[in-house]
Amino acid sequence: MTSPENENGTPEEQEAEGLHISDKRRFDPETYARRQAPEPTEAASEPAGATPQAGPGPEPESEADEEGDGEIPGDFVVPDDISGLESDTRVAELENQVRERTQDLQRLQAEYVNYKRRVDRDRDLARQGGIETVMTDILAVLDDLQAARAHEDLSGGFKAVAEEIEKVAAKHGLSAYGTEGEPFDPQVHEALMHQPAPEGTELEGPVVAAVLQPGYRLGERILRPARVAVTGA
């Protein structure tokens, strides 16, 4: 019969069969440095004839151990304060907004400048059109005043009124043209009749022989061509 001391083994054997826990993590949890692989050691010698007893096997490695205990491998260090990154992102967003608002302002300013130019041009055209309408209507009055002056019928207060009307017309750029002897120009003259040239006179081209009705210009624009009699070729 085997004694209890032989069944359980000697005290030295009981101490050798105790639980051993090894740290197999590849990175130090405090310094994040990669650990060196441990050198292999010789297995502890067992006494001859001793039967190995089944002890608790090695604990299965958890997901945290397989992945390096949740630590990030390499030299990357997670910053403790990420406020700087958030600040840079915010600055970039604000710069983008400022750029967009500046472009919108420039576009609106260009549209306003174009609108103002168009309004000023339309205003000038409307003003010029109104002046042309009034001056065209007053041409008949000026013809009557010219005829009265030719017959020496302008005198007294009537003469002062005629001069004032002509002064107002000249103030707005209205001017009369057409004189005898000037070259005939179909762009500014309207020939109503043709007269033979005087004997012994050689003309290089048609000439205004008589002005039947003066023409009028408003600036560079012809309101009415001069109606004339033409002589020459």
Side-chain angles (χ1 to χ4, degrees):
M1 181 173 181
T2 307
S3 63
E5 182 178 357
N6 294 331
E7 293 179 355
N8 298 330
T10 62
E12 290 78 4
E13 293 178 353
Q14 294 179 359
E15 291 180 1
E17 294 174 358
L19 178 65
H20 295 279
I21 300 176
S22 60
D23 189 356
K24 297 183 178 182
R25 288 179 290 184
R26 296 190 296 272
F27 297 90
D28 192 316
E30 295 182 358
T31 62
Y32 306 114
R34 185 183 296 274
R35 290 175 172 178
Q36 301 292 334
E39 297 180 358
T41 58
E42 296 182 357
S45 61
E46 298 181 356
T51 302
Q53 298 181 0
E59 296 182 354
E61 296 184 359
S62 62
E63 295 182 358
D65 293 336
E66 295 178 357
E67 297 179 359
D69 198 18
E71 302 297 334
I72 301 176
D75 298 334
F76 179 80
V77 179
V78 179
D80 297 334
D81 185 9
I82 61 173
S83 59
L85 299 178
E86 296 179 353
S87 177
D88 295 341
T89 303
R90 183 58 177 167
V91 168
E93 293 178 355
L94 293 176
E95 289 179 350
N96 189 28
Q97 293 179 5
V98 170
R99 190 181 303 106
E100 292 178 355
R101 300 300 182 272
T102 302
Q103 293 176 355
D104 293 341
L105 180 60
Q106 292 175 349
R107 181 170 57 256
L108 290 176
Q109 185 177 6
E111 292 178 355
Y112 172 74
V113 171
N114 294 334
Y115 168 77
K116 188 175 183 299
R117 289 177 180 176
R118 183 169 60 255
V119 170
D120 293 341
R121 183 178 65 251
D122 294 343
R123 184 186 298 113
D124 293 340
L125 291 176
R127 177 177 177 274
Q128 189 67 19
I131 294 175
E132 289 182 3
T133 301
V134 174
M135 293 296 104
T136 301
D137 294 340
I138 207 175
L139 292 182
V141 178
L142 296 177
D143 291 338
D144 294 339
L145 294 178
Q146 187 69 20
R149 182 178 286 106
H151 292 83
E152 297 181 356
D153 291 339
L154 290 179
S155 60
F158 183 62
K159 180 179 180 181
V161 172
E163 292 176 352
E164 189 65 25
I165 293 175
E166 292 173 349
K167 186 184 299 184
V168 172
K171 178 181 178 181
H172 289 284
L174 186 67
S175 60
Y177 71 91
T179 56
E180 296 181 3
E182 66 181 4
F184 175 77
D185 186 354
Q187 295 183 353
V188 297
H189 298 117
E190 181 180 354
L192 298 182
M193 63 177 62
H194 182 272
Q195 295 179 353
E199 295 181 1
T201 304
E202 295 183 359
L203 300 176
E204 296 180 357
V207 178
V208 176
V211 179
L212 306 178
Q213 192 176 45
Y216 287 95
R217 291 189 181 95
L218 185 62
E220 299 296 330
R221 182 179 176 83
I222 302 296
L223 288 185
R224 188 182 72 185
R227 297 171 180 176
V228 299
V230 182
T231 184

